[in-house]
Amino acid sequence: MNEADSEDIAAAFRARGYEVTSELKKADAVVVNTCTVRQKAEDKAISQIGRLRVWKERRPDGKLFVVGCAAQKLGEKYLKGRFDFINEVVGARAIEKFKDSLIRQLGPATEGEAEHRNLFRSPQTAYVTVMRGCSLKCSYCIVPAVRGPAVCLSPKAVLEDAAAKLAAGAKELVLLGQTVNSYRHGRTTFSELLKKVLRLPGLERLRFMSPHPLYYDEAFMKVLAEEPKLARHMHLPAQSGSDRILKAMRRGYTRGQYLDLLARLRRAAPGLAVSTDFIVGYPGETEEDFRDTLRLVEEGRFSLAYCFKYSPRSDRPGMKADISGAETEARLERLLAAVKKNSRVVLEERIGKIEEVLFETDTYGRSSANFAVRVEAGGTPGKLSGVLVAGAEKNTLYGKLI
Ligand code: 5AD
Ligand code: SF4
């Protein structure tokens, strides 16, 4: 979501004749887009802002914007008090209002629409935000507090944004929302939105991020089964494999329900790859709870899992990290080892099969199941091709064009 916001911010600058540069000393303006989902992210933002003091001393006329979730949480008063060289603080809830800040600091846009580029993904992939905020209340999560409750964009706004990005050269779209499959606007459900986007000319592949296990329905299963352009990959955060911890986290499902959902999804879309997120060291997590998570890694057959140490985001009772740092670290290591072992098995299962690859260069692309795929030559950037997989190594599949 922050990457998507950064793309939009870059586009707002381009509309004023600015270019993105990777060289700080060339920059006339700097935007620090911050995250606060874990304490480490917030700490990084703070030290990044601190390092910009030197740039600002050399460029007193340069403009420094601090935006995003940590800006929302820490507030303008705190940030400007600590770093008096910040020009503007724009919180995550007001990211759309960033353009107003730009006008205040830099004057109105020159002319015309900004073209679509890409800072984070390959040029043929574009993010399309379909909802902002989150209305769930997972106990560990700060997102609802900083981004506010879920607000869905109208299908018209989504389709316009998607069509503009396709017209500018994107081949693959990623629909974004904190619980993206809970999307609903008037009578338009998530499945209906998917079908509308899938009909847009120029689209080769559609992804979305992140769905929540609670919001899958039969209508979605049907779209998944019937629409080959819908990617054969889902990032479906599990967070834990222990029913007790899932309950404490207020995730709204049990490990059994999660596994049933995986089975339903894989029935609808054979070959579907699933990746996930886990948190270790949640307050009260016992060795037994943790082993349930390790078992879920085996049973879930994930292609990839992002694993995080629990980071307290509130002072409410029961939310303090009560497992020692060393134990949490040890569990993280064990979890990472299990994930690595299992994802290698999942990767190797692809050998001898055909992956549908959207090429980014003549030798590299991403498959529908979201694996990195390499061939020796012959891929066409921006085009889909079948690749017969001959080998697998380090999260990458190797094969030949068919
Ligand atoms: N501590 C650790 N990990 C967290 N996540 C969200 N909040 C926390 C927290 N307080 C993780 C979840 C989520 C991912 C984006 O970040 O796994 O899916
Ligand atoms: Fe946070 Fe995601 Fe839970 Fe919403 S669904 S509260 S964003 S973890």
Side-chain angles (χ1 to χ4, degrees):
M1 190 60 84
N2 270 20
E3 287 182 10
D5 287 343
S6 292
E7 300 284 5
D8 291 347
I9 288 169
F13 271 100
R14 287 196 187 100
R16 287 166 176 78
Y18 280 69
E19 270 302 318
V20 174
T21 174
S22 52
E23 283 178 81
L24 180 61
K25 63 175 190 298
K26 286 191 184 163
D28 301 307
V30 174
V31 182
V32 182
N33 190 5
T34 62
C35 172
T36 182
V37 76
R38 290 170 292 278
Q39 186 60 40
K40 209 166 154 188
E42 192 179 303
D43 295 346
K44 270 196 210 166
I46 293 288
S47 63
Q48 179 66 50
I49 299 165
R51 280 199 297 277
L52 287 165
R53 188 183 292 277
V54 180
W55 167 76
K56 188 74 184 204
E57 276 163 7
R58 288 197 192 130
R59 286 293 314 271
D61 58 331
K63 306 288 185 207
L64 173 59
F65 300 89
V66 178
V67 309
C69 291
Q72 177 79 42
K73 177 177 169 240
L74 298 170
E76 175 165 7
K77 201 161 154 239
Y78 171 85
L79 284 168
K80 283 196 171 169
R82 186 158 167 193
F83 306 104
D84 59 1
F85 51 95
I86 295 175
N87 291 81
E88 287 256 355
V89 175
V90 186
R93 286 194 207 208
I95 207 96
E96 297 88 357
K97 293 193 191 121
F98 182 72
K99 287 185 187 163
D100 302 340
S101 310
L102 269 185
I103 292 168
R104 262 199 306 284
Q105 297 290 337
L106 304 172
T110 36
E111 256 305 288
E113 269 297 291
E115 63 185 299
H116 164 68
R117 302 269 185 85
N118 223 319
L119 301 176
F120 299 95
R121 311 270 296 221
S122 75
Q124 63 253 48
T125 301
Y127 293 119
V128 174
T129 300
V130 308
M131 68 189 286
R132 296 189 167 277
C134 181
S135 294
L136 293 186
K137 298 218 157 11
C138 302
S139 60
Y140 52 81
C141 185
I142 197 168
V143 169
V146 290
R147 288 203 179 243
V151 178
C152 295
L153 276 73
S154 71
K156 185 167 170 281
V158 171
L159 291 168
E160 273 172 15
D161 188 20
K165 284 169 176 166
L166 291 171
K171 306 284 176 207
E172 175 182 79
L173 297 177
V174 188
L175 303 188
L176 290 181
Q178 239 74 39
T179 53
V180 70
N181 55 339
S182 73
Y183 177 90
R184 191 177 181 107
H185 192 279
R187 272 200 292 259
T188 308
T189 61
F190 182 61
S191 296
E192 278 145 17
L193 183 73
L194 287 176
K195 285 195 270 186
K196 286 185 205 284
V197 175
L198 283 161
R199 268 184 239 123
L200 291 173
L203 178 80
E204 299 285 354
R205 185 186 280 161
L206 184 60
R207 301 186 183 278
F208 55 83
M209 216 166 42
S210 285
H212 190 291
L214 275 182
Y215 300 105
Y216 283 95
D217 57 12
E218 282 313 308
F220 173 81
M221 297 295 167
K222 198 158 175 281
V223 178
L224 181 62
E226 290 172 359
E227 299 280 357
K229 285 185 177 174
L230 198 53
R232 309 285 95 174
H233 167 250
M234 219 153 294
H235 184 69
L236 187 58
Q239 312 299 3
S240 170
S242 150
D243 283 344
R244 215 175 61 79
I245 296 296
L246 286 170
K247 192 164 182 199
M249 287 177 164
R250 295 201 290 257
R251 289 291 291 176
Y253 52 85
T254 61
R255 70 175 281 126
Q257 285 167 331
Y258 182 89
L259 284 166
D260 281 351
L261 175 59
L262 289 191
R264 275 166 68 209
L265 288 166
R266 285 172 167 149
R267 263 201 304 279
L272 185 85
V274 180
S275 55
T276 196
D277 292 347
F278 288 115
I279 298 175
V280 295
Y282 185 82
E285 183 189 74
T286 62
E287 170 66 20
E288 201 181 320
D289 292 320
F290 175 65
R291 284 204 195 139
D292 284 341
T293 298
L294 291 179
R295 281 201 295 124
L296 185 58
V297 170
E298 287 195 5
E299 288 170 43
R301 313 170 62 72
F302 301 108
S303 55
L304 188 89
Y306 298 101
C307 306
F308 306 105
K309 288 193 271 187
Y310 173 68
S311 169
R313 309 314 287 130
S314 96
D315 304 328
R316 273 181 287 121
M319 295 315 295
K320 232 177 104 186
D322 64 354
I323 313 228
S324 78
E327 178 56 28
T328 305
E329 186 63 46
R331 286 182 194 175
L332 180 67
E333 291 302 318
R334 288 162 69 197
L335 182 59
L336 288 171
V339 164
K340 199 170 161 195
K341 183 165 152 252
N342 282 280
S343 56
R344 189 179 308 140
V345 173
V346 169
L347 193 73
E348 283 170 357
E349 277 171 3
R350 302 271 159 170
I351 296 174
K353 296 190 178 131
I354 292 164
E355 291 285 306
E356 188 195 65
V357 179
L358 180 58
F359 277 90
E360 295 174 23
T361 70
D362 58 342
T363 57
Y364 172 81
R366 266 199 184 262
S367 73
S368 178
N370 209 27
F371 293 107
V373 180
R374 285 193 183 278
V375 296
E376 263 176 26
T380 310
K383 288 258 171 332
L384 287 177
S385 309
V387 172
L388 179 61
V389 179
E393 214 176 314
K394 285 191 190 145
N395 300 319
T396 304
L397 297 172
Y398 293 83
K400 266 198 162 54
L401 281 168
I402 53 161

